[in-house]
Amino acid sequence: MRGGMVVDQSVVERAEDGDKEKKKKRRPRRKPNASLSACSSNSEIRAEGSECLGNGSGSNHVTSSIGYSSSKHNGVGSDPSSEHGVTKASDVAFNSMPTMHINEQVDLMEVGNTHSQHQFPSDLGGRTGSKSCPVPIACQEPIGSFTNKDFLPSQQIEGYAQSKYFAPHWSMEAVNEALEKGDAFKALFRVNAHNRLEAYCKIDGVPTDILISGIAAQNRAVEGDTVAVKVDPLSLWTRMKGSAGIVNNSALMEDYNLLPEVTEMVGDRYKGKNIVDADYEYDHCRDRMFLHEEEFHHRDCALTGERRADFNYVNGHYPSASDSIHFGCSSEHNEVTNSLGKICAMISSFPFKRPTGKVVAIIERSPRRDAVVGFLGVKQWLSYSEIYRKATKKNKNSLPLSDHEYIQLSPTDPKFPKMVVPMRGLPDCIKKRLKDGDLTVEMELVAARIGDWEEVSLVPQAFVNHIFGRGGEIEPNIAAILFENAICSSEFSPESLACLPRFPWEVPQEEFKTRRDLRNLCIFTIDPSTATDLDDALSVESLSDGIFRVGVHIADASYFVLPDSALDLEAQIRSTSVYLLQRKLPMLPSLLSENIGSLIPGVDRLAFSIFWDINLAGDVVDRWIGRTIIRSCCKLSYEHAQDIIDGLIDVEGFNTLCSGYPQLHGHCGWPDVIRSVKSLHEISVTLKDNRFNDGALRLDSSKMVFLFDKDGIPYDSLLCEQKSSNSLVEEFMLLANRTAAEVISRAFPDSALLRRHPEPNLRKLREFEVFCSKHGLELDTSSGQLHHSLELIREKLKNDSVLFEILISYASRPMQLATYFCSGDFKGSENDWGHYALAVPLYTHFTSPLRRYPDIVVHRTLAAAIDAEEMYLMRQRTLQKMNKGNEMTRCFTGIYFDKDAAESMEGQEALSAAALKHRVPCTKILADVTAYCNQRKLASRHAEDACERLYVWALLKKKEILLSEARVLGLGPRFMSIYIHKLAIERRIYYDEVEGLMVEWLDATSTLVLNFCTHKRSHRRGSPGRYRTLEDVALVVSPYNMQSEMGAIGDGVQKCSATQIGDAGVALQEPKPMSKYGVPDITECDPAVFPLTVRLLSTIPVALHAGWWG
């Protein structure tokens, strides 16, 4: 019988209580609520579930022209402190959706008065932790926090001394002076989702993040703010987690799971070409554990209101508060450099110390402040109102209730603090429902804007500006996700649609004069079966001497999206298509992305093509780049291509009608297609081997795929792995992106849009190396050896794929984020241009212009390089300096770059004229474009991840109970962290929240012993409202009672027995229910028996519940 226990996800995952037990007299901490996340918005969101927002009217969303003014939500509750101005494009919000609540419990929080770590008032909507049910849970305990003077806004406190909890923010002049002298540093403020009292700031040039601990040090900064940080003296620095001498396994693992980068959702995505465009990137701020490439199509996930940004498209500048921050002369720059050097020297001298600091000013407010999603604490407000009404009967001079009333807002994102909303900050429809005593208001998912946060108030004021609908339903949560992440779901403007040609559309005859006609070539697409935006196709020809000519053909979206047109501006605002499992929010109108621009088989389409002549060793011996006209012969799915690779198709007896294969168009036959796929596969294997031999790294895992019923509700999930057909396409997309980067960076060294991926965090990489060593796994993290080393571990763990998947998740944590950048911004720092994971010096995005705006910019730049080359060669021929028609004379786009030609007067004139013709942006404009695209890319990924977690919750809700095995990732005296492979999620179990559970931590062996206690209640930290009985979080039976318990569960229950151990004779029994569609949820699992010994990486059975709601 395997050791394990069946746990309820309600006790999984609570925020950290501080620095363990070393401060035993510290007041217990309470954490913020974390239901389902939703989203911030610089975009107008058309939420179907919205209610009226003011004056009794419905929610009206006004879409203004892109780039001209911010949209306003008509009828939103009044906000006297709001400033009505345009929203900056640079302010577009991005943030991952926090994990979901499951079986939340309420705890009333006492407001602490400690110097550096004040405590927060009651969590009305649930307790802290990343859980799984997007439903607010009503307060079940006596009212208390609203009467606390520290909780109410300062202007509403009468008869109390105004004690200050926060230091005043520095003036902008003082901030500028401190930045110039190196006394303070500009940084992005990031909050630990597991413990909001911990925040981190990354200072450029400092290898370790600065810890901002406690609300006093955080000084009213919130997630995403750009702040001025003053670093503490060395004597105040704290111990680095996992660095106390020789680190034992459990300590390292527990600390790993307390880092800000620790994630909730593990599932990487093999979406065909989506794999390439993530460039193996890892985002420290988002909830994903796997480093991966994302070029492969997100579109296989799609089964089926925007606030306009104030972007100055004339000079390409995004106005921001940070623009007022200036840096002085070179002497002042030296002061900053010296200050950074001193900090770095101290970090190097004391590697076990974590630098700490405090926020002294907020330089630029996070756009997330305008769209904090959460639930209103109605029951507590009603209780307070009743108490107040009774008091006012005795005092006729009291002010009206509405002048005193505040209602608490509990954000769904645990990174944000609780807030108080004045009654004047509520929409009229909410006020009316509250007046009528409608308790269901607290079930409504709302968004609010953070208003004033004064030095004398522990919590900020907020003003509700949007209502999405019931938090327990999918659609309101999706609307909130889009709103919080500023994802535009509105229709395209008439001005944008007017930029497109009328349908039906045919290739104009003049294009045949300037483009190469490839319609007789055997060209085909390989995509997910559900894909509609087909933006890449492949071809291959066999030449002499073992040379193959491989072609990648990319949809020429830049032909239709002209610079500075209304369509171009709207595409830039959206920046990327967003895929939410059952819906797609396109960057371009469907007429373009799914029709006239898509490489549909059997019709003429415009393309950008790259041909390589590749030998048997995988070396490129020649290439050609240009604009073309193609006609795809068929659309293959990845499954079709895989069948061809596996040799499952008999060419002689092949019948497409019987096999379900696509129809062929044109003169190409199935033998041609099959030979092409096999040749491409062989070449891709060689290219892939060469990449990894050169030091490339790949960290990925299985992809979770949901199965939906006819109503769009998930009823089961599957884990899918990448196949050879995915790698086939990936390799050629990578090669195309590398080629495009090489050409544009050489032709336009100051204005090339590129993509970089910095080297990983060395400290975290060393921690991962220590972890592997502790478990007998040899890991080599030296340059270029990490992938090879992980492959050896994969072979060693071939019988334990789950453990290897966990290792991959930890390997991804040291990785940094891949970002777009302008080459001119990094002039003189070419060593920083490289892509670590791909092990290439130059990389960009070129292959997905129908769904990514940066690719359109790259297309324009590449077109300029081609035109410049043609102009230069034409002039040279005129001067009889070159032979006519010599293909090897290509100077800008060929395999050999002619630097002398590019730097010559004629070359510079040609490049300048072509850049002007194709509107290649200058360095400053392009830098702003790349910064904005980086924000939008993160926002889209956060929205996609949030949607995925939403459907995990919906799956659990439908199943009611899901039984699965889990691996213990982290183990310590306070909690364990587990990974549920079936759902690819990580959760925590806090022992002190389970009443009747006895815990013994054996520090010498890093082992945990769990036992069942029925005779008395053991001492627990925190509020009683947090407790759950063991029966609430596990299926507990006695051996003599097991048969009756199983009979009560249902027919689909797995039959199993238990062995009596000790006097208690208690076992944890696991049923095995069937899904409503007859699909077994898990394989057979044995029950766990107390006393239960748990070790790191051991396997335990768990029971997951969607929780109770309503």
Side-chain angles (χ1 to χ4, degrees), residues 522-527 537-542 548 550 633-649 651 654 661-662 664 669-685 724-729 732:
C522 182
I523 298 176
F524 49 87
T525 60
I526 303 177
D527 288 281
L538 294 167
S539 65
V540 62
E541 301 171 271
S542 179
F548 288 88
V550 177
C633 67
C634 69
K635 174 192 172 184
L636 294 176
S637 69
Y638 285 113
E639 292 75 18
H640 296 151
Q642 190 62 45
D643 287 345
I644 295 174
I645 293 171
D646 294 339
L648 301 180
I649 297 178
V651 178
F654 187 62
Y661 274 65
L664 285 183
W670 276 108
D672 301 316
V673 174
I674 292 171
R675 279 193 298 268
S676 295
V677 171
K678 289 185 175 181
S679 296
L680 289 170
H681 169 62
E682 293 172 0
I683 298 169
S684 70
V685 170
S724 300
S725 57
N726 300 95
S727 295
L728 182 158
V729 179
F732 295 114

Side-chain angles (χ1 to χ4, degrees), residues 617-628:
D619 301 319
V620 177
V621 297
D622 198 9
R623 73 182 179 213
W624 178 89
I625 306 173
R627 282 179 149 166
T628 60

Side-chain angles (χ1 to χ4, degrees), residues 558-576:
S558 61
Y559 173 84
F560 301 97
V561 186
L562 299 179
D564 295 332
S565 64
L567 180 59
D568 180 50
L569 301 187
E570 185 150 6
Q572 183 172 358
I573 290 294
R574 296 178 184 240
S575 188
T576 182

Side-chain angles (χ1 to χ4, degrees), residues 350 466 491 548 789 832 847 1032:
F350 300 92
H466 203 100
E491 298 295 333
F548 288 88
S789 183
D832 295 331
T847 54
D1032 286 338

